[in-house]
Amino acid sequence: MDDSEFPIALPVPRKGRGAVTNLQGRYEVDQREKVDDGWVRSEDDESEAPALRTQVFEERAKSILTRNTSPDIPFSVSLNPYRGCEHGCIYCFARPTHSYLGLSPGLDFESRIYAKVNAAELLERELSKKTYVPEPIALGVNTDAYQPAERELRITRRVIEVLHARGHPFAAITKSSLIERDIDLLAPMAARNQVMAAVTITTLDADIARTLEPRAATPSRRLRTIRALSEAGIPVGVSIAPVIPFVTEPDMERVLEACAEAGASSASYIILRLPWEVAPLFKDWLTAHFPDRAERVMARVRDMRGGKDYDASFAQRMKGEGLWAELLKQRFHNAVRRLGLNERRRGILDISQFRTQLLAGTRPSEPPQDNPQLSLF
């Protein structure tokens, strides 16, 4: 029987998960290929794949600060308390990093989380070095520092305690309302111009967000977080990242309007990025959730990427190229100008108050006891 006689099975979504497959990582030695044996899910079958449990593993990292020299990134030092992210955003550019662990950038990335339980200890050690030169740290850029595991583990909280005690400036970006827990630390730092926050909102459509970012806070809840941070005196912006043609792109102006009304003072956007394994994972997600527009979405993505799924060059990777990318840029800047965003920037965070030693009584809380698998949800 010819292979063409078998129908192609559509990817089956999992409840509460972004990826619909456990795509093989590019560093795995053995290659696997999916073969349809005829047991194809019918178009009338609305069932989902079985639920997948999250495992959180302890990791004792050797270093905690990551440095970059990328000209299109507004920071050069970052800190990520976790590897992998349970939020499960299908578009996450950090997904391919799980390949370095011999795991899948797909479902493994969002269900096998590595918690750097010694992050605060490593940070304190780094800041104590006589050679250390302070500059603002970006917190939670690769994977969300306030993802669900943080509620129990409080690793991010202890990191901020160190930064607070040292008077060290930082910026945090998140999709979680859990950041409100740390307002008691953030507010006094904001008063000294030592902290700013950004909340990522891709769309106001809760149904789209539920499949796009399945375990992140709902869009309406993130708007409340913007309001809470703003009312506490913490400069907060909105990051519309990514802009996905024909999926989240129609919502751009509405997102900016809602965030401005909630108290956001700045805004930025990034066009969908599909590096490495993110491209096939995203295409599977499109096929599973938007089969009627999947080809149209990818055609527009390629229009902005020089005919490819992705262009990693510094000049193009964030904003794209071509007519459609230029139209998006104009739409964004017109809305920002109309709403008065990006006009009340505080400027560069203040590093002059950095202290080389912790003040008495300000030592961070103790980390959890050693346990190779911290929790199983």
Side-chain angles (χ1 to χ4, degrees):
M1 182 178 293
D2 189 272
D3 288 344
S4 62
E5 296 182 38
F6 286 113
I8 299 175
L10 293 176
V12 182
R14 289 178 183 265
K15 185 176 182 180
R17 297 297 176 184
V20 295
T21 65
N22 219 16
L23 180 74
Q24 196 167 357
R26 64 188 183 279
Y27 296 118
E28 293 187 45
V29 176
D30 297 326
Q31 298 295 311
R32 300 184 298 274
E33 182 178 351
K34 183 185 294 186
V35 177
D36 187 359
D37 60 2
W39 291 92
V40 180
R41 177 179 180 230
S42 71
E43 295 182 0
D44 297 327
D45 182 8
E46 298 298 328
S47 62
E48 295 177 325
L52 184 65
R53 303 172 73 187
T54 299
Q55 300 175 73
V56 182
F57 299 95
E58 174 185 296
E59 177 182 353
R60 303 202 73 83
K62 295 181 180 179
S63 62
I64 199 61
L65 296 181
T66 302
R67 289 175 169 81
N68 77 83
T69 56
S70 303
D72 58 349
I73 297 179
F75 58 86
S76 56
V77 183
S78 60
L79 190 157
N80 294 283
Y82 299 92
R83 291 209 280 181
C85 185
E86 194 177 357
H87 283 166
C89 306
I90 188 58
Y91 52 75
C92 183
F93 67 89
R95 281 183 176 275
T97 61
H98 249 43
S99 295
Y100 297 118
L101 303 176
L103 297 172
S104 170
L107 292 169
D108 282 349
F109 176 80
E110 54 195 272
S111 64
R112 296 174 68 86
I113 312 301
Y114 290 80
K116 302 174 186 178
V117 294
N118 60 337
E121 174 189 343
L122 289 174
L123 178 61
E124 183 176 342
R125 185 185 308 165
E126 185 72 20
L127 300 189
S128 298
K129 293 179 179 178
K130 293 182 179 180
T131 57
Y132 180 75
V133 178
E135 57 182 305
I137 293 173
L139 180 61
V141 177
N142 273 8
T143 55
D144 205 309
Y146 286 101
Q147 61 179 285
E150 169 62 19
R151 191 173 300 278
E152 175 186 348
L153 300 182
R154 300 172 70 87
I155 299 172
T156 299
R157 171 77 182 190
R158 293 196 303 278
V159 164
I160 295 177
E161 286 173 348
V162 172
L163 297 170
H164 176 270
R166 297 294 190 116
H168 194 296
F170 75 97
I173 185 166
T174 186
K175 298 183 183 78
S176 173
S177 61
L178 184 57
I179 191 174
E180 296 173 27
R181 177 200 64 188
D182 295 335
I183 284 178
D184 62 317
L185 297 174
L186 300 176
M189 293 186 73
R192 299 190 296 269
N193 192 27
Q194 293 180 323
V195 74
M196 59 178 59
V199 176
T200 299
I201 300 182
T202 52
T203 179
L204 298 182
D205 189 316
D207 291 333
I208 292 177
R210 190 175 297 114
T211 63
L212 188 68
E213 310 153 334
R215 299 201 177 195
T218 64
S220 60
R221 184 66 184 89
R222 283 180 246 179
L223 287 172
R224 296 206 305 273
T225 294
I226 290 176
R227 187 176 299 280
L229 293 172
S230 177
E231 290 178 349
I234 300 162
V236 57
V238 57
S239 173
I240 305 180
V243 177
I244 304 174
F246 310 120
V247 178
T248 66
E249 160 266 321
D251 236 4
M252 176 186 282
E253 287 83 359
R254 290 181 60 232
V255 170
L256 289 169
E257 290 166 3
C259 291
E261 194 278 330
S265 58
S266 61
S268 62
Y269 79 100
I270 298 175
I271 288 175
L272 177 68
R273 297 170 55 189
L274 298 176
W276 299 105
E277 295 95 336
V278 182
L281 286 167
F282 180 77
K283 292 174 187 177
D284 281 345
W285 177 86
L286 269 179
T287 301
H289 295 286
F290 295 97
D292 59 325
R293 70 184 89 165
E295 287 299 324
R296 187 183 181 202
V297 170
M298 288 309 303
R300 187 53 54 86
V301 167
R302 295 183 187 109
D303 282 347
M304 296 187 291
R305 298 297 187 190
K308 300 177 290 186
D309 289 345
Y310 184 54
D311 180 355
S313 64
F314 291 140
Q316 307 294 345
R317 62 177 181 169
M318 299 299 187
K319 305 302 182 186
E321 62 179 318
L323 177 61
W324 210 73
E326 182 60 30
L327 289 174
L328 273 179
K329 179 181 177 180
Q330 292 179 17
R331 284 175 55 190
F332 176 82
H333 286 297
N334 288 340
V336 163
R337 189 180 306 112
R338 173 171 54 84
L339 296 167
L341 294 167
N342 293 347
E343 293 180 352
R344 298 168 296 199
R345 291 182 181 271
R346 288 194 174 190
I348 300 173
L349 294 175
D350 186 4
I351 63 173
S352 67
Q353 303 173 62
F354 171 67
R355 294 181 286 272
T356 58
Q357 298 296 326
L358 283 172
L359 297 178
T362 58
R363 186 165 298 280
S365 54
E366 291 298 316
Q369 296 299 312
D370 288 353
N371 185 354
Q373 183 169 322
L374 292 176
S375 57
L376 186 65
F377 299 96

